[in-house]
Amino acid sequence: MNQERSRFLDSRLVRVLFSPITKLSGYIRSLPPSDKAIAVVLGGLVIVVSIASLFVFTRSLLVEVPARGGTLTEGSVGTPRFVNPLLALTDADRDLVALTYAGLMGIGPEGSLVPVLAARYEVSEDGKIYTFTLRDNATFSDNTPVTADDVVFTIQKAQDGGLKSPEYSNWASIRAEVVDTRIVRFTLPKPYAPFLADTTLGILPAHLWRNIPNDQFPFSPLMQRPVGAGPFKVVKVVENDEGVVTEYELKAHKGFALGRPYLDTIRVRFFETATLLQGAYKSGRVESAYGIDVPGALRAPYSRVFGVFFNKKDNKALGEIEVRKALSIAVDREHIVTDLLGGYATPLFGPVSSGNGITPPTLPNPATRIEDAKQTLIRNGWAFNESAGTWKNKKEKLSIDTVTIRTSNVPELKAIATAVQADWQALGVPTAVEFYEPGDLTQEVIRPRAYDALLFGMVVGREQDLYAFWDSGEQTDPGLNIASYANTAVDALLEKARSTSDPDKVRGYIQSASDKIAADYPAAFTHAPDFLYAIPKTLYGVNLPQIAAPSDRFALVATWYKERAYVWPFLVQGH
């Protein structure tokens, strides 16, 4: 009885619900063929519009989030040889190291340092002891855990003079010790504020490298197929017929400490020259590359400072501050930045670029720079000798004879050197330029300090640590004080900046040191270049920090994505 009543009620419900549709269907069937076709088309349009409206309405309520998947093809100049954080020498090496290795600390979204393999760290009150606790989930790409032993092994290899690591100077005087499996302690001989930046050094898996002697390190298969704890791992290496590496294929490392990257694959293709790379970018063989000037390319501040550094030991006139000042004022920085560098730089009149709370000196007036430079010389007893074509100072028995600018044989620096030559000749100073291949410039010019004036770029770094370039103890090779600059007040400020952990005090010391250096005119500072990075429109989440080295562009590569998903807002946090 109940079943019959239920069937009766169901049948009535069906008739009620579908009666309008049944009547409409009957009405359409009764129409003439032409009207029936119109009705069907209109009905179809209503259905399509309804579905589209529903889709748009639903999408408006959803939130777009990154999704896993996608491949990026990157281009790079050079040939990788030492894909190892202790021996990487070229940009090609460092690019692959950045993708496959990770350090205790890394570069965060705003350029600040953030824990990566480390879960946290503590600093002793005296600033000399740093204790790091590793993340429980930190693993190498061979799925073995990252331990304190791996960290200490890596540091001890950096300290090994027999390995000749470029990282040696950063770690030579620091004691590293295992506290337990997940805790490592570093003891510094004295407080050193920039130390945390050194802990971005990629960590080696001790179980794979421990038994490899120093002389075999460069030849280990691990040098080409690294095992690291970085966001990606090597799955394929492509070589040409001559055995030269032309491409790396990398896959996302699921065990990366900060979480699996969104991109599935990154292919890095290598080219001999920048011209070949640009051609590959234009043809679509690569999607992304740095140093490519195209509309829409990303720009980031490059922590390098370029200038013409004076060597007063090789040219007595350059020992006079008014001469150096006049030469510095005469340089047309606006022309260099706007015309020669396409606007992708910031003009400078001091040793640090803007940012990090440091204010650079005011630029000279470009409209009056030559006259201002001449007056600087005249006020200090110099007179221009028309017949000799030189500036002379009778009291000091000096003349400004030919100043020779030496620099690298690369297009941008050649153009800048030629422009500075024209500016100084307009001032009345005979000027010559000489160009060297980069390796020859280092060995034949920079190391022996064989120059009157050197057009060069200093890598100051994100911390604006000026010690290596301006401390008086760094004047001779292998020191980097290429202006042979000496000022005891600056030495004291730089030492204070290195020994305090208070960011405000550090900025104050660096600001004072920068002001004093600029006032001594040890160089005609010219510009700080911008870092350019061309990427496809289909790549999202690329946030460039301040760049100290080109490989820094990969600091946040784990957050880049090509695929997107749409989820309800309450699912975003979990996603």
Side-chain angles (χ1 to χ4, degrees), residues 232-376:
F232 288 85
K233 61 181 181 180
V234 175
V235 295
K236 184 179 181 181
V237 181
V238 179
E239 298 179 348
N240 62 17
D241 294 339
E242 288 75 37
V244 176
V245 173
T246 59
E247 182 178 325
Y248 265 74
E249 183 174 323
L250 311 171
K251 292 289 186 181
H253 175 204
K254 296 179 181 179
F256 180 48
L258 298 183
R260 180 201 186 280
Y262 290 117
L263 291 173
D264 281 342
T265 306
I266 292 182
R267 293 190 183 95
V268 186
R269 290 177 174 161
F270 298 96
F271 302 86
E272 291 184 8
T273 66
T275 301
L276 290 175
L277 174 59
Q278 289 177 349
Y281 178 82
K282 290 179 180 178
S283 68
R285 285 193 63 207
V286 300
E287 299 175 274
S288 57
Y290 79 88
I292 303 289
D293 181 7
V294 294
L298 300 181
R299 296 174 62 174
Y302 210 167
S303 54
R304 299 185 68 181
V305 171
F306 280 82
V308 183
F309 295 81
F310 302 121
N311 184 2
K312 58 188 178 183
K313 294 180 180 179
D314 267 27
N315 189 318
K316 291 184 179 179
L318 295 177
E320 304 300 313
I321 187 171
E322 67 272 11
V323 174
R324 301 194 302 272
K325 181 178 180 179
L327 291 172
S328 183
I329 291 173
V331 174
D332 189 349
R333 293 162 178 83
E334 185 175 297
H335 168 61
I336 290 174
V337 168
T338 303
D339 301 325
L340 302 184
L341 300 177
Y344 295 115
T346 301
L348 288 182
F349 199 52
V352 296
S353 57
S354 59
N356 293 339
I358 308 299
T359 303
T362 302
L363 295 167
N365 186 337
T368 61
R369 56 188 174 79
I370 297 298
E371 184 58 34
D372 292 343
K374 289 179 179 179
Q375 291 302 316
T376 297

Side-chain angles (χ1 to χ4, degrees), residues 117 165 205 215 246 323 326 407:
L117 297 182
S165 169
D215 60 349
T246 59
V323 174
T407 192

Side-chain angles (χ1 to χ4, degrees), residues 44-102:
L45 287 174
V46 169
I47 293 173
V48 170
V49 171
S50 298
I51 293 174
S53 300
L54 180 62
F55 176 80
V56 172
F57 175 71
T58 304
R59 178 63 65 87
S60 69
L61 299 177
L62 300 179
V63 177
E64 180 183 297
V65 296
R68 293 176 180 175
T71 298
L72 176 69
T73 303
E74 174 87 9
S76 184
V77 175
T79 301
R81 293 181 57 203
F82 304 114
V83 188
N84 182 297
L86 297 182
L87 293 178
L89 295 176
T90 67
D91 287 340
D93 293 338
R94 287 186 283 265
D95 281 353
L96 291 171
V97 166
L99 290 167
T100 57
Y101 283 92

Side-chain angles (χ1 to χ4, degrees), residues 75 79 83 125 157 192 204-205 248 310 348-349 367 432 471 539 562:
T79 301
V83 188
E125 289 187 6
K157 291 306 295 184
Y192 175 52
L204 300 176
Y248 265 74
F310 302 121
L348 288 182
F349 199 52
D471 184 81
L539 183 65
K562 281 194 167 185

